[in-house]
Amino acid sequence: MTRKIQFREALNEAMCEEMERDERVFLMGEEVAYYNGAYKVSQGMLERFGARRVVDTPISETGFAGLGVGAAMYGLRPIIEFMSWSFCLVAADQIINNAPKMLYMSGGQFKVPIVFRGNNGAGGQLGSTHSWAVEAMFASVPGLKMAIPSTPRDGKGLLKTAIRDDDPVFFLESERMLGFGARGDADFSRYLHDDRWAPPAAEEDKEFLIPFGQADIKKEGADCTIVALGRPVHFALEAAEQLEKEGIDCEVIDPRTIRPLDIDTIVRSVRKTNYCVVVDQSWPFASIASEIAAQVYEQALDDLDNKIIRVNNDDVPAPYARNLEQEMLPNAKKIIEAVRAVTYRA
Amino acid sequence: MTITSEPDTHTSGQPSDRLDAAALLSMLGEMLLIRRFEERCAQSYQQAKIGGFCHLYIGQEAVAVGSISALRDDDPIITAYRDHGHALARGMDPRLAMAEMFGKVTGCSKGKGGSMHLFDKEHHMYGGHAIVGGQCPLGVGIAFGIQYQQEDKVCVCYLGDGALNQGAFHEAMNLAAIWKLPILFVVENNQYSMGTHIARGTSMADDLSVKAGAYGMRYAECDGMGVLKVYDCFAKAAEQTRAGEGPCLINVETYRFKGHSMSDPQKYRTKEEVAEFEEHDCIQRLRRRLLDRHLATEEQILDLDEKAKKLALEAVKFAEESPATPVEEMFTDVYSQPFEPYRRGEAAEGFRE
Ligand SMILES: Cc1ncc(C[n+]2csc(CCOP(=O)(O)OP(=O)(O)O)c2C)c(N)n1
């Protein structure tokens, strides 16, 4: 019997289990305590752990993100919640100049075990300031790690790993996915049924940790590799269902973490299928998709029977209008077209 | 409050009353060490043995020495990029500080940080930080850690007067105030941020108490050319903070005798202005006090200076003779739990736990 669990509940479980396990772990951010989380990810945590460990902050990202870095240098293990990654930009100096470089600049003396987490990517008609997908912008910074889960199972396993990790982890969630799972199987692809969706509960396994740098093959297939992370994994699976009907058997690979990136699993898949489409919810220029495509070209050029196609956001600020926003984002239709084109079936 | 050249006039009932001759001599020795060390830095920079940006602390020695003398050894400190003085006052081996600037593997950060980023975990020195104001939220985080673990420590966060105008400073002040965190924000007010006089860049420059007032925070100020004035101010402020009275903003009036960095023609101030402040030199002031009160002899003081010169020279020699940082170190210390192509690093010899 699979557990019925929403994405936000899985994240909550991860934090609660790790806070039970380690007194140094605390959660801090805007509205995480009394409000129970702007998106209810921290529901019940104030009641359970008290105001010392579940800390509401003023709207002061530079202040509390930097506080987290200092506290981590001092030996605590902060989880800093950004209501949205779109709001982290005012704290850029703290999160990309301080956190990931402290260990290096101090010659190995000060590590920074911190998790920055929050919603990433378009939330739904929020306009351009609120619709950042920050992965491409930050993934190039050495010293940080980055995880982008696509299922509650991965969310829980990766977040527990992130909290135990001794390095700064950028953990990118999606507002659009937090409620996934509320309606049970109807919410997600049939490829994710059975144990692929839900993580084990604490009673079953307190040590449910998913290591960084291990891609997950969300669907096996022989004809074309689709690489996707985070919410686009679901678009890719939707596309795969459609394409299956057309006789194209896609393999959907979810790297789950970008730093470290499990390029080996991707390359192995491309060697098998000889075709590759990369889906990415950030802008195309110097993007995650560009990077993955470049690495696949470097390692498997001879195995490719066509160029790689990238399915990115359109290269514009996120528009407000519903139709424009949907058109701008990667979606199943665009992925289907890309797969057809790359496998010469267009 | 104005800077005076008086040998510190005695007001009784000050914490510094308890300092005996040995303690005063030790403070003088530390200031001399910083002065001589900085002179060697300047020389080595001119010889191109030190690269990058290098900001000397000459003139401000009393701030680091007076404040750190008033703290406990395990009170954490954090500062900006003008950090040599704090590192030395905290007890960092001058050889390892110099080797860092020479970019050698024996340096405190194995040559990966440089002059502006000196760290010494063992001595609770949480770094020099080179983005103006960026260290303020970090300091608040350290203070949060102290409070979280219910420890009896006080974090001291130094900043230049230029940092008063950074958002990071104000956010840090607010967080420290609402949570009553055990932190002292110390403005090393040397009047200039590079070439900008504080009055040109900072509102209410002649009354910084309003900055604290805006956050309902305690405020103190002192004459930063008098090491005992600094000591007294910090002893009191730290005691109050340790007693649970929350953060305090301390405005220390000081002056840097040299340029902002090593390449500063100093067109923004007159030679006369600099000369006037040099009259108030913190080292001379303490020296006069010791002599006037017969707490030390001229000879003892000369000895101290010789010792400081020797340590500074030895630091240069050590740095020169140390091996360059091997290229293999490039990929260490990026991650604590590394993945390909990174490797785990080991802190420089003097800094291993
Ligand atoms: C955010 C940022 N802007 C600009 C600089 C360049 N810069 C380095 S030091 C400095 C002046 C800072 O003066 P102050 O804070 O008064 O410290 P002082 O040099 O007097 O010790 C400037 C503008 C910087 N390092 N960081």
Side-chain angles (χ1 to χ4, degrees), chain A residues 264-281:
Chain A
D264 294 350
T265 298
I266 298 170
V267 165
R268 212 175 302 123
S269 173
V270 172
R271 293 221 160 101
K272 179 175 75 175
T273 64
N274 309 115
Y275 297 107
C276 183
V277 167
V278 190
V279 191
D280 170 10
Q281 59 175 347

Side-chain angles (χ1 to χ4, degrees), chain A residues 56-124:
Chain A
D56 274 334
T57 66
I59 307 158
S60 184
E61 279 80 3
T62 290
F64 67 79
L67 182 155
V69 178
M73 289 172 76
Y74 194 67
L76 303 186
R77 305 185 76 90
I79 306 169
I80 301 294
E81 177 174 311
F82 290 122
M83 199 177 270
S84 157
W85 274 98
S86 291
F87 311 146
C88 81
L89 302 182
V90 295
D93 183 46
Q94 298 301 329
I95 65 172
I96 53 174
N97 221 356
N98 279 342
K101 298 175 184 168
M102 207 66 77
L103 185 74
Y104 201 74
M105 288 202 309
S106 67
Q109 294 185 71
F110 286 97
K111 61 182 181 186
V112 181
I114 191 168
V115 179
F116 296 110
R117 46 161 290 271
N119 290 315
N120 179 59

Side-chain angles (χ1 to χ4, degrees), chain A residues 312-326:
Chain A
N312 279 91
N313 279 359
D314 287 334
D315 205 3
V316 297
Y320 162 74
R322 193 176 158 77
N323 64 328
L324 292 185
E325 185 187 52
Q326 292 205 331

Side-chain angles (χ1 to χ4, degrees), chain B residues 55 60 80-82 130-133 159-164 166 188 190-194 256 260:
Chain B
H55 310 84
Q60 301 182 209
Y81 48 84
R82 197 179 296 284
I131 299 299
V132 170
L159 50 130
D161 44 279
L164 288 170
Q166 272 287 9
E188 296 201 45
N190 61 16
Q191 302 187 26
Y192 292 94
S193 49
M194 279 184 81
R256 73 171 146 70
H260 164 72

Side-chain angles (χ1 to χ4, degrees), chain A residues 199-211:
Chain A
E203 306 82 67
E204 288 170 66
D205 185 4
K206 278 207 172 68
E207 296 295 308
F208 177 65
L209 300 160
I210 295 177

Side-chain angles (χ1 to χ4, degrees), chain B residues 90-267:
Chain B
R90 240 313 139 87
M92 187 188 287
D93 183 336
R95 294 177 306 163
L96 310 187
M98 191 65 84
E100 180 61 28
M101 294 183 221
F102 277 54
K104 298 299 182 75
V105 69
T106 49
C108 55
S109 298
K110 295 187 279 186
K112 295 178 180 182
S115 159
M116 302 193 286
H117 311 107
L118 301 179
F119 290 81
D120 186 347
K121 193 170 184 184
E122 188 197 333
H123 291 103
H124 310 278
M125 153 80 174
Y126 282 72
H129 296 270
I131 299 299
V132 170
Q135 77 277 24
C136 300
L138 301 179
V140 164
I142 295 165
F144 180 88
I146 293 171
Q147 188 182 69
Y148 188 90
Q149 300 184 148
Q150 297 169 345
E151 293 166 333
D152 191 20
K153 298 181 195 166
V154 174
C155 175
V156 179
C157 177
Y158 299 88
L159 50 130
D161 44 279
L164 288 170
N165 307 316
Q166 272 287 9
F169 165 73
H170 290 276
E171 295 195 24
M173 290 280 284
N174 184 57
L175 292 179
I178 59 172
W179 293 329
K180 285 186 89 174
L181 296 177
I183 183 167
L184 308 178
F185 293 101
V186 184
V187 185
E188 296 201 45
N189 186 355
N190 61 16
Q191 302 187 26
Y192 292 94
S193 49
M194 279 184 81
T196 304
H197 189 268
I198 183 169
R200 279 208 295 140
T202 305
S203 62
M204 296 301 288
D206 54 1
D207 182 8
L208 295 185
S209 72
V210 298
K211 311 269 173 195
Y215 299 98
M217 192 184 290
R218 280 163 36 231
Y219 173 80
E221 57 187 17
C222 62
D223 168 1
M225 305 306 256
V227 70
L228 298 183
K229 302 274 189 212
V230 177
Y231 178 91
D232 286 333
C233 181
F234 276 76
K236 288 182 236 174
E239 187 181 286
Q240 284 179 293
T241 294
R242 227 183 282 283
E245 288 181 37
C248 181
L249 176 69
I250 306 181
N251 174 19
V252 186
E253 298 213 353
T254 181
Y255 199 79
R256 73 171 146 70
F257 294 170
K258 303 293 174 191
H260 164 72
S261 63
M262 296 303 299
S263 54
D264 175 4
Q266 302 185 61
K267 293 270 163 56

